[in-house]
Amino acid sequence: MNRLLDDMLTADEKDAIDRVLGGRNPRFDLLVELSGLDPSKDFRDSDLRYLNFCGADLRGYDFSHSDLRHCIRNENTKIDDSTKFEGALIEWIEVEAVPIVLQMQGVESAPGSEQRRELLRRMISEFGRTQHIVTYLVSAATRAKKFDDFLDFADYLPSALNEDQRKSLRETALRLLAKRVSRSKSRTRREKTAIFATDSIVNRLRSSGGSLSEVIYSNLAAVINSKNETLALKDMAFVEPQDLEAAIRLL
């Protein structure tokens, strides 16, 4: 065991880890029993994404306010009225969809944009834009920390989305754009330099096709045309942050 962890853990905690690591059956509820955790309280307010609940007996578990998105279950997973999900985020994955989940995990752990986009391309090429995958892409986009990361997912989202999905994406894009513009201004302390914050965004939108990004680009063209500065997006120097913001609001 790592020396730092060894110093931080109690003897009971070390014993619990050893019991779990030595367990022969990977079934979730059996591992919980080995660990000594209490199903009625130790899984509240927890990030439990991507856990495998196949065959597990989840009766009596309290998952209140926990994140259970992309958790795997099958016909032998036992859930009844004693299983609590109050306030939990739930997106069950049936065991048949496990290959997709594994690819999603790869996307989540990708070290950079290029690798992430390649994994997304492969996933959609293999499985298509199913409802499950679109739901995942929306969720991942709304969790993005930077606008470029948001576009990685927007480039693969279909243009046809429901209003709730569009609202979530719209709010995220506006927040990330404001963050990017603010950072650009703070670097030079000049208002006009904020325009450079949008240059790379517009270039990416221009090269998108058949996706949500293309919708944003089309909206941007409409915004620019309405300003009578150009009839087509030929001179991108005229695109200001507020133009991009207006285009996003049209989603």
Side-chain angles (χ1 to χ4, degrees):
M1 185 177 294
N2 181 284
R3 176 172 292 182
L4 178 60
L5 289 177
D6 195 49
D7 292 338
M8 294 172 59
L9 297 173
T10 66
D12 288 342
E13 289 170 336
K14 294 174 190 175
D15 289 342
I17 291 174
D18 288 338
R19 290 196 300 272
V20 170
L21 292 177
R24 295 185 177 182
N25 193 325
R27 209 176 79 185
F28 177 79
D29 57 319
L30 298 181
L31 294 178
V32 170
E33 185 177 347
L34 287 174
S35 71
L37 292 171
D38 186 343
S40 67
K41 65 179 183 180
D42 288 333
F43 296 96
R44 302 170 186 160
D45 301 290
S46 302
D47 185 349
L48 305 174
R49 288 176 297 166
Y50 299 106
L51 283 181
N52 186 346
F53 290 134
C54 288
D57 186 349
L58 301 180
R59 292 174 295 185
Y61 276 73
D62 187 350
F63 295 113
S64 297
H65 305 287
S66 290
D67 191 343
L68 295 166
R69 288 174 295 178
H70 312 302
C71 285
I72 304 167
R73 67 176 182 178
N74 63 5
E75 60 183 9
N76 295 319
T77 303
K78 295 181 176 63
I79 296 173
D80 65 10
D81 292 341
S82 68
T83 312
K84 299 179 182 178
F85 295 109
E86 181 182 357
L89 295 174
I90 302 174
E91 291 176 12
W92 292 117
I93 303 299
E94 303 303 328
V95 68
E96 295 81 6
V98 168
I100 301 177
V101 175
L102 292 176
Q103 292 207 27
M104 290 176 179
Q105 289 177 317
V107 171
E108 294 287 324
S109 60
S113 177
E114 184 177 348
Q115 296 90 336
R116 183 186 302 116
R117 291 173 61 82
E118 175 59 21
L119 289 170
L120 287 169
R121 185 194 65 77
R122 291 181 188 175
M123 182 172 67
I124 291 174
S125 175
E126 183 174 353
F127 300 105
R129 287 186 176 88
T130 63
Q131 182 178 354
H132 176 204
I133 287 180
V134 170
T135 298
Y136 164 72
L137 291 174
V138 171
S139 174
T142 56
R143 288 184 280 111
K145 302 299 183 183
K146 298 186 296 185
F147 202 95
D148 284 336
D149 295 343
F150 173 86
L151 288 180
D152 284 346
F153 296 101
D155 284 348
Y156 292 94
L157 275 166
S159 56
L161 297 168
N162 64 48
E163 181 52 36
D164 287 341
Q165 291 172 327
R166 283 178 176 265
K167 179 181 178 182
S168 296
L169 293 165
R170 183 166 58 243
E171 292 174 349
T172 299
L174 289 172
R175 173 174 52 80
L176 294 176
L177 176 63
K179 181 179 178 181
R180 181 163 178 155
V181 171
S182 176
R183 186 184 302 116
S184 178
K185 289 180 181 178
S186 65
R187 286 175 179 171
T188 62
R189 301 184 184 279
R190 297 176 62 186
E191 190 75 21
K192 290 184 177 180
T193 59
I195 193 172
F196 298 112
T198 64
D199 284 350
S200 61
I201 295 176
V202 173
N203 287 333
R204 282 196 59 175
L205 292 174
R206 185 195 292 127
S207 62
S208 60
S211 66
L212 185 70
S213 295
E214 184 181 29
V215 174
I216 298 175
Y217 187 72
S218 297
N219 291 346
L220 182 59
V223 170
I224 296 299
N225 287 340
S226 69
K227 292 173 60 175
N228 294 320
E229 291 185 352
T230 179
L231 294 177
L233 287 177
K234 295 178 180 178
D235 189 351
M236 303 314 297
F238 289 106
V239 178
E240 299 176 292
Q242 56 264 37
D243 299 326
L244 189 52
E245 178 181 338
I248 293 170
R249 290 189 183 280
L250 290 173
L251 282 177

